[in-house]
Amino acid sequence: MESSDNKKFSVAEDETGKGCTFAFTGEGHTIGNALRYLLIKNQDVEFCGYSVPHPAEPVMNIRLQTYKNPPLETLEASLNQLTSVCDLLLSKLDSKNI
Amino acid sequence: MSEVYRGRAPNIEINKITREKIKFTLSGVDSSVANSLRRVMIAEVPTMAIDVVHIHTNTSSLHDEFIAHRLGLIPLISENQDNYDFPRDCKCTGHCEHCAVQFRLKVKNQEGGVLDVTSRDLRHLSQQGNDVRPADSDGPILILKLRKNQEIDITCNARKGIGKEHAKWSPVATAVFKYTPDIYLNQQRLESQFTAEERKEIVNSCPVGVYKLNEESNIEVVKLNKCMFCEECMRKGEMIITRSASALLNVHDNVVRVSQLKDRFIFKVESSGALKPESIVSKAFTILTKKLDDIKQLIPPLINTR
Ligand code: SF4
Ligand SMILES: [Zn+2]
């Protein structure tokens, strides 16, 4: 079973430093597709795609190539972006006071 | 942040809430974000469900596994699930009051006839955990039936889990979204080139009753959100144009046009009874944020080691 403490994250970096493949253990389409969308909207991103190589394995990969900034920083920025969207929507929902 | 979504700020509007259902509109986000929300509601919002079943006596006509499965599927009120730990996170080795709520089901049919055993026969083994109980306010949930002298004696533990592991922990019965429909009616052409009879044909072509004829026998959109994009109304409009004399004019300029607003989503979420529908939605956002935080926690050490 998937447990909260076996979440892992690893990076395979190209020699150029402009391309990275990130492997997320314990994540899937839920996060993958949303991050992919945010990343391809980023002007600095040359290429971004995600895949879940096998549905029985809890691994999701994101391939990211950038023009200028380090890919890891770009990824982190997209994580923050998605967090702020969630926070904003949650606060809007809470303010409805149901 | 908001500028990534075609210049609209993310927003959420609630259209309708009942005890078991919520309808809301999520706007200013991409479909991938809407889909994340939907996936989290289905598979990652935790609830309590019966998970470990000890069968002491079972002389009923159903076999043990079948009963265990039926017990698991009974929705348990889980509003206080935050007070419980996931069994894997709990320090105890078996079960304790922090990770499990124990029930006993002990029934014997002594009177003859057929006796229904329902969720109302489940008794808490201890005082603690009374907040976790079957969500059966709409009527008892049938578990099995006993004939004369048949007997059942079971102890079971309700534990916390998520729908990803087993569907019994999913708090929703339905969690779906669709794009917001956008209907354009060329009223001018509808009035000048169509007869009242033809307008009525268009109104009747919609299988879900989106349109209505008003007093002047003009087409009016009355139930926009019901639209399911079948395009029957568009086809009917085209057909009428083609068969009438106005075919020579501009066939390709539709009098009725249905399109989708791709950054406004109409959500419909039905609870299984375990959680209030509105708390399913707000918990889903919290969980999504937590998933992202977990990933962020894993990133900094990597930067430093490089
Ligand atoms: S597309 Fe289908 S459901 Fe929507 S308004 Fe037209 S006929 Fe009705
Ligand atoms: Zn425990």
Side-chain angles (χ1 to χ4, degrees), chain B residues 88-261:
Chain B
R88 57 163 191 263
D89 295 335
C90 193
K91 285 171 209 73
C92 73
T93 44
H95 53 81
C96 65
E97 71 269 23
H98 302 298
C99 64
V101 177
Q102 287 198 288
F103 292 97
R104 179 94 185 250
L105 181 68
K106 185 170 170 20
V107 187
K108 182 171 185 183
N109 183 353
Q110 272 148 338
E111 274 136 44
V114 178
L115 179 69
D116 289 352
V117 180
T118 70
S119 55
R120 301 254 161 100
D121 295 310
L122 282 167
R123 299 262 168 269
H124 285 89
L125 266 192
S126 66
Q127 210 45 43
Q128 169 272 336
N130 270 342
D131 46 352
V132 176
R133 58 181 189 281
D136 57 3
S137 54
D138 290 334
I141 300 164
L142 185 64
I143 301 167
L144 53 98
K145 295 184 180 187
L146 297 175
R147 291 192 67 182
K148 187 159 200 243
N149 290 328
Q150 288 185 340
E151 187 182 0
I152 188 102
D153 185 4
I154 290 172
T155 42
C156 46
N157 291 348
R159 310 207 290 182
K160 187 165 151 178
I162 56 172
K164 220 185 207 177
E165 191 185 340
H166 191 294
K168 68 185 174 188
W169 277 300
S170 180
V172 296
T174 326
V176 291
F177 69 84
K178 68 172 182 188
Y179 295 122
T180 303
D182 183 19
I183 296 180
Y184 161 79
L185 294 171
N186 190 335
Q187 289 291 5
Q188 202 205 330
R189 283 189 70 197
L190 280 169
E191 277 169 46
S192 58
Q193 296 173 5
F194 283 60
T195 64
E197 198 51 44
E198 284 168 337
R199 286 195 290 269
K200 196 166 167 213
E201 256 186 80
I202 293 182
V203 168
N204 293 340
S205 70
C206 176
V208 285
V210 168
Y211 305 108
K212 204 187 80 183
L213 274 190
N214 62 14
E215 290 86 50
E216 292 93 52
S217 89
N218 285 326
I219 303 179
E220 214 178 296
V221 177
V222 280
K223 289 178 191 159
L224 180 64
N225 285 355
K226 285 248 167 179
C227 177
M228 54 180 185
F229 309 110
C230 66
E231 302 191 354
E232 279 300 320
C233 52
M234 283 167 70
R235 233 165 283 145
K236 180 61 84 181
E238 264 169 53
M239 210 183 81
I240 295 172
I241 296 175
T242 329
R243 78 175 177 217
S244 68
S246 58
L248 304 170
L249 302 171
N250 29 11
V251 181
H252 299 294
D253 179 17
N254 273 339
V255 283
V256 184
R257 210 157 48 222
V258 179
S259 55
Q260 301 173 322
L261 296 178

Side-chain angles (χ1 to χ4, degrees), chain B residues 259-297:
Chain B
S259 55
Q260 301 173 322
L261 296 178
K262 301 222 163 165
D263 65 346
R264 259 179 92 80
F265 307 96
I266 303 170
F267 272 80
K268 189 165 87 184
V269 179
E270 276 177 46
S271 165
S272 69
L275 293 170
K276 279 192 252 141
E278 59 271 26
S279 35
I280 296 173
V281 183
S282 63
K283 284 201 165 96
F285 280 121
T286 319
I287 289 161
L288 209 47
T289 313
K290 188 175 171 299
K291 279 163 79 75
L292 294 163
D293 284 344
D294 286 349
I295 298 172
K296 276 185 249 170
Q297 294 294 313

